Amino acid sequence: MELRQLQYFVKVARLQHVTKAAEELHVAQSAVSRQIHRLEEELGVRLFMQRGRNVQLTPVGQLFLKRAENILNDLDQSVIELHEFLDPEVGEIRLGFPHSLGINMVPQAVAAFRKLHPRVRFRFRQGMYPSLIRDVIEAEVDLAFISPFPEKNDQVTGEIILTEELFAILPENHRLAMEDSIPLSELKDEIFVLFSEGYSLRPIVWEACKAAGFTPKIAFEGEETGTIRGLVAAGMGVSLLPEMAMYHTSSMMPAVVNISSPHVTRTIGLIRRSEEKMPLVVQMFHSFLLDFFSKQNK
């Protein structure tokens, strides 16, 4: 079976006329009829019935048309993707990131990139730590921001682009709210507002508290930094959040206090699939991000 046969078949099926199909294909009518006949012989079925000057698909022809159209559409899309792979200025980048980085960091980086490359398209996917790693491995995204950076995973590779300090956040009327810095152990008797299970900041805060000599007592859980901030500001407890989570302001903002000990940080990494060549547009964006965050760290 030849690609030309499928193209001729689909054109005749859509126009229901061999002569008109030949005119649009810029070939002789006999050539179209010959290719359709060969296709029918190879398949062992009749694809068309004559209806006066027109032709009409047989039931099996209608079934085959759907498959043939899918094959040709897939081929066309493959050609488009190939051109996009080779031309970084017209490609698409599939980017994953956690919700906490979607407030400022990701929009700022993407906006800066699009000023230089306005024709590049983006497709975004937000998720939690395990789902982002899975999305990269299963090729659902090309790149993903992730926190913390995975220390060992044979299927993904990448770079740490930022190391961010965590701060204690307290209700404004808290006894320690006016302090410049406190040891984390000062909060051992407090109730905590933490991220729900599955969010990467939860184990970071948990391990920091354990290093300070206590296990945090959890009263409330949330799934967004805005929720954590709001609950703390409302007096529901205390928590730890990264500096990035403080960029957004609202009428309900907690006090922010440095932690003198232990030093609590989180890493933010940029990951991709191991041992796989990235499309040129993704390579270009990847290089841009490394340079973009390198300058921010200086």
Side-chain angles (χ1 to χ4, degrees), residues 10-266:
V10 170
K11 181 65 73 173
V12 172
R14 289 173 177 171
L15 296 177
Q16 297 184 0
H17 203 285
V18 175
T19 302
K20 291 179 180 178
E23 290 174 353
E24 289 201 8
L25 291 165
H26 304 291
V27 297
Q29 177 181 332
S30 59
V32 175
S33 298
R34 185 167 55 252
Q35 293 300 332
I36 296 296
H37 180 66
R38 288 177 179 174
L39 181 60
E40 289 179 325
E41 282 190 335
E42 186 172 343
L43 295 173
V45 297
R46 287 191 64 192
L47 297 172
F48 294 102
M49 298 180 292
Q50 196 71 37
R51 287 290 184 267
R53 294 184 178 181
N54 289 10
V55 293
Q56 180 179 329
L57 285 168
T58 63
V60 71
Q62 292 175 352
L63 178 64
F64 186 66
L65 175 63
K66 295 179 181 178
R67 299 299 186 186
E69 287 179 327
N70 287 339
I71 291 170
L72 294 178
N73 288 336
D74 285 345
L75 178 61
D76 289 342
Q77 185 60 37
S78 297
V79 172
I80 292 172
E81 290 176 355
L82 177 62
H83 289 161
E84 291 179 348
F85 189 98
L86 297 174
D87 185 356
E89 293 299 335
V90 296
E92 180 181 80
I93 298 166
R94 300 170 302 162
L95 181 65
F97 54 90
H99 293 271
S100 62
L101 301 187
I103 300 172
N104 284 286
M105 195 186 92
V106 172
Q108 287 177 355
V110 170
F113 179 78
R114 279 181 55 79
K115 285 183 180 179
L116 302 174
H117 309 283
R119 296 170 62 198
V120 173
R121 303 186 307 277
F122 279 86
R123 188 184 304 174
F124 300 115
R125 176 174 290 201
Q126 291 179 293
M128 295 188 293
Y129 184 89
S131 65
L132 287 170
I133 292 181
R134 184 175 62 249
D135 287 343
V136 171
I137 292 172
E138 296 179 358
E140 294 295 328
V141 298
D142 303 302
L143 300 170
F145 290 107
I146 196 164
S147 178
F149 183 76
E151 294 183 2
K152 186 176 182 181
N153 190 311
D154 294 336
Q155 294 177 285
V156 301
T157 186
E159 303 83 16
I160 294 174
I161 58 172
L162 285 175
T163 299
E164 190 178 24
E165 188 174 356
L166 269 67
F167 297 84
I169 61 169
L170 316 169
E172 286 191 332
N173 61 355
H174 192 278
R175 60 184 177 84
L176 300 172
M178 301 302 293
E179 298 292 329
D180 291 329
S181 66
I182 59 171
L184 187 55
S185 58
E186 285 281 349
L187 303 179
K188 62 184 177 64
D189 296 323
E190 303 286 343
I191 58 173
F192 275 73
V193 181
L194 291 187
F195 279 93
S196 304
E197 294 282 356
Y199 286 83
S200 59
L201 280 173
R202 182 187 177 100
I204 294 175
V205 176
W206 187 274
E207 291 302 320
C209 292
K210 295 293 290 291
F214 68 97
T215 300
K217 297 186 286 290
I218 303 171
F220 301 96
E221 296 181 343
E223 297 184 352
E224 294 183 354
T225 54
T227 302
I228 304 296
R229 282 197 319 264
L231 289 172
V232 171
M236 302 297 180
V238 302
S239 191
L240 273 64
L241 283 180
E243 181 180 6
M244 200 175 297
M246 307 303 172
Y247 292 160
H248 181 75
T249 59
S250 67
S251 58
M252 295 284 287
M253 290 295 290
V256 180
V257 179
N258 289 298
I259 300 172
S260 58
S261 64
H263 188 221
V264 189
T265 61
R266 70 163 177 175

